[in-house]
């Protein structure tokens, strides 16, 4: 969880590469803060993204993707199947599996319902037109993530005697949270899929960065004070975290320096 400010990047080049007989779209993006090429595989769209450190390196970035076609093929084989937000889909909310249920005749947006049978799953009921299900579920999940993160960050920051300047949500894939030198915190909204103690750990981690802008001894001591059981949450993120991107997100990355 680094603390650098992330700048938005813009697509510079779109092309295709052939991986095991399949043509896959490639997008090259320019990020002036990047020091090397970074190759990413979108878990849901089968799309390849390459971050380039300069505009001049755009053709080389595309060549970099082609040079690592074997790695791309491996990722496409091992990643779990994508789970779209559609009727019948099963997704976790705060670590608890829910089944999406469409209620076209009802008013409202999204609500939670108890299981309909003793051995059933709780339901995420989505009202209205079916074509808006994906957007409504995404908006609802982001709102839940924002509420949970705002609450936990303020609790942990208050205990540490500090306060963030702002808290934002993003769909970042390389980190679960970040803290800038201006005390701005940013989190992945996909933490709402994880058990609550995992989201709580990330909130405590970034709140601790408001005091210590490093990962030194004093930083980890503060994290332990804010959340004594943080190691279990860290382990969960390391082992289960990548799978959260199957629910409509981006996935694994290949760093040039790896």
């Amino acid at each position: 969880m680094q603390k650098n400010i992330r700048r938005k990047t813009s697509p510079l080049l779109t092309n295709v590469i052939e991986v095991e007989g399949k043509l896959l779209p490639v997008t090259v993006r320019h990020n002036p803060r990047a020091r090397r090429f970074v190759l990413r595989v979108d878990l849901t769209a089968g799309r390849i993204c390459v971050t380039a450190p300069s505009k001049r390196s755009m053709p080389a970035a595309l060549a970099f993707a082609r040079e690592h076609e074997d790695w791309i093929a491996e990722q496409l084989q091992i990643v779990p199947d994508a789970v779209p937000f559609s009727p019948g889909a099963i997704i976790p909310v705060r670590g608890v599996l829910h089944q999406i249920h469409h209620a076209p005749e009802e008013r409202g947006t999204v609500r939670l319902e108890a299981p309909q049978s003793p051995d059933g799953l709780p339901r995420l009921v989505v009202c209205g037109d079916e074509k808006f299900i994906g957007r409504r579920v995404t908006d609802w999940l982001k709102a839940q993530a924002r509420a949970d993160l705002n609450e936990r960050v303020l609790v942990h920051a208050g205990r540490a005697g500090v306060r963030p300047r702002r808290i934002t949500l993003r769909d970042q894939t390389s980190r679960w949270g970040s803290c800038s030198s201006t005390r701005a915190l940013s989190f992945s909204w996909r933490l709402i899929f994880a058990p609550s103690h995992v989201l709580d750990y990330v909130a405590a981690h970034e709140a601790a960065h408001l005091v210590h802008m490093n990962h030194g001894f004093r930083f980890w001591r503060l994290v332990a004070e804010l959340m004594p059981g943080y190691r279990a949450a860290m382990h969960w993120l390391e082992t289960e975290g990548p799978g959260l991107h199957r629910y409509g997100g981006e996935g694994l990355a290949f760093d040039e320096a790896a």
Side-chain angles (χ1 to χ4, degrees):
M1 297 183 183
Q2 301 175 8
K3 304 170 287 302
N4 295 336
I5 301 174
R6 281 282 179 116
R7 297 182 181 179
K8 294 183 177 180
T9 59
S10 301
L12 293 178
L13 172 68
T14 57
N15 209 313
V16 294
I17 63 173
E18 185 173 348
V19 178
E20 295 189 334
K22 298 180 180 179
L23 292 178
L24 299 177
V26 180
T27 300
V28 178
R29 300 178 184 275
H30 167 232
N31 185 342
R33 296 181 65 85
R35 295 184 178 181
R36 59 182 69 88
F37 297 132
V38 177
L39 176 64
R40 301 187 186 281
V41 178
D42 186 315
L43 299 187
T44 58
R47 182 175 58 245
I48 315 303
C49 299
V50 190
T51 299
S54 69
K55 293 181 180 180
R56 291 183 178 180
S57 63
M58 179 170 54
L62 188 59
F64 178 75
R66 292 195 172 104
E67 290 170 2
H68 294 90
E69 290 177 4
D70 290 343
W71 180 85
I72 294 172
E74 290 177 2
Q75 308 317 307
L76 294 175
Q77 290 176 359
I78 66 175
V79 297
D81 292 337
V83 180
F85 297 145
S86 59
I90 296 175
I91 66 172
V93 179
R94 300 183 178 93
V96 178
L97 293 178
H98 288 68
Q99 188 166 36
I100 297 176
H101 174 74
H102 184 214
E105 71 286 352
E106 297 184 21
R107 289 179 172 270
T109 53
V110 179
R111 69 173 185 275
L112 296 178
E113 275 190 0
Q116 301 299 295
S117 63
D119 58 348
L121 294 174
R123 302 200 304 180
L124 200 63
V125 180
V126 189
C127 305
D129 195 320
E130 184 173 0
K131 67 182 179 181
F132 298 124
I133 289 178
R135 188 185 71 188
R136 286 178 174 171
V137 171
T138 300
D139 290 346
W140 185 85
L141 290 169
K142 289 181 177 180
Q144 298 298 305
R146 183 180 300 280
D148 288 6
L149 285 163
N150 282 348
E151 176 189 359
R152 299 314 301 163
V153 165
L154 293 180
V155 167
H156 293 305
R159 291 179 59 195
V162 291
R163 188 176 180 85
R165 185 167 65 87
R166 72 171 182 269
I167 302 172
T168 58
L169 295 185
R170 296 182 182 178
D171 197 6
Q172 49 203 23
T173 60
S174 59
R175 63 191 72 183
W176 296 106
S178 61
C179 174
S180 76
S181 58
T182 61
R183 305 194 325 278
L185 303 185
S186 179
F187 298 92
S188 168
W189 68 267
R190 296 179 186 282
L191 286 166
I192 196 61
F193 296 127
S196 295
H197 76 281
V198 175
L199 177 147
D200 195 19
Y201 157 66
V202 180
H205 186 113
E206 300 310 329
H209 275 314
L210 295 171
V211 181
H212 303 293
M213 295 292 289
N214 54 60
H215 287 103
F217 172 78
R218 290 188 297 174
F219 166 81
W220 287 111
R221 184 174 61 185
L222 178 56
V223 172
E225 292 173 359
L226 297 176
M227 188 176 176
Y230 77 90
R231 291 187 183 276
M234 281 183 63
H235 178 71
W236 193 97
L237 274 179
E238 291 171 357
T239 58
E240 306 295 334
L244 300 185
H245 294 290
R246 67 187 295 194
Y247 304 104
E250 296 184 2
L252 304 176
F254 183 92
D255 192 303
E256 183 186 18

